[in-house]
Amino acid sequence: MVWTGPTALVFAGLALLLIVMAVWARLSPPVARRGFLRIETDRGDRLYIGLISAAVVLAGWIAVTDLSMWLALGCAVLVAVVIGKWG
């Protein structure tokens, strides 16, 4: 795998996200709740499910259409935010 600038930014962003979530969990312990996913999840679970769902949206976008990846990124971020907020 070639480490390009965008690739490094993605991995740095994920590392920063994990650090922020760890600090947040230390300051305010997560509380499990039920959302539209119909399972008890805390914010860490919803983050994981949201990231995996965003990856599936991006991979599916590449497989199905030749439209702009910026639109795919917008859809993926929207999916992750909805799962994080109401999942």
Side-chain angles (χ1 to χ4, degrees):
M1 179 171 137
V2 177
W3 281 92
T4 63
T7 303
L9 283 175
V10 167
F11 281 96
L14 288 173
L16 180 65
L17 185 61
L18 289 174
I19 291 168
V20 167
M21 289 295 288
V23 170
W24 188 12
R26 187 78 164 149
L27 296 175
S28 170
V31 177
R33 64 175 173 83
R34 280 183 195 245
F36 70 83
L37 295 175
R38 305 260 179 164
I39 57 174
E40 275 196 14
T41 58
D42 63 17
R43 61 181 167 247
D45 298 331
R46 290 188 300 274
L47 173 67
Y48 178 75
I49 293 168
L51 289 173
I52 296 298
S53 300
V56 168
V57 167
L58 290 169
W61 192 278
I62 291 170
V64 173
T65 184
D66 288 331
L67 294 175
S68 172
M69 283 304 292
W70 289 109
L71 187 56
L73 181 62
C75 291
V77 168
L78 180 65
V79 165
V81 167
V82 166
I83 289 174
K85 181 74 173 165
W86 296 291

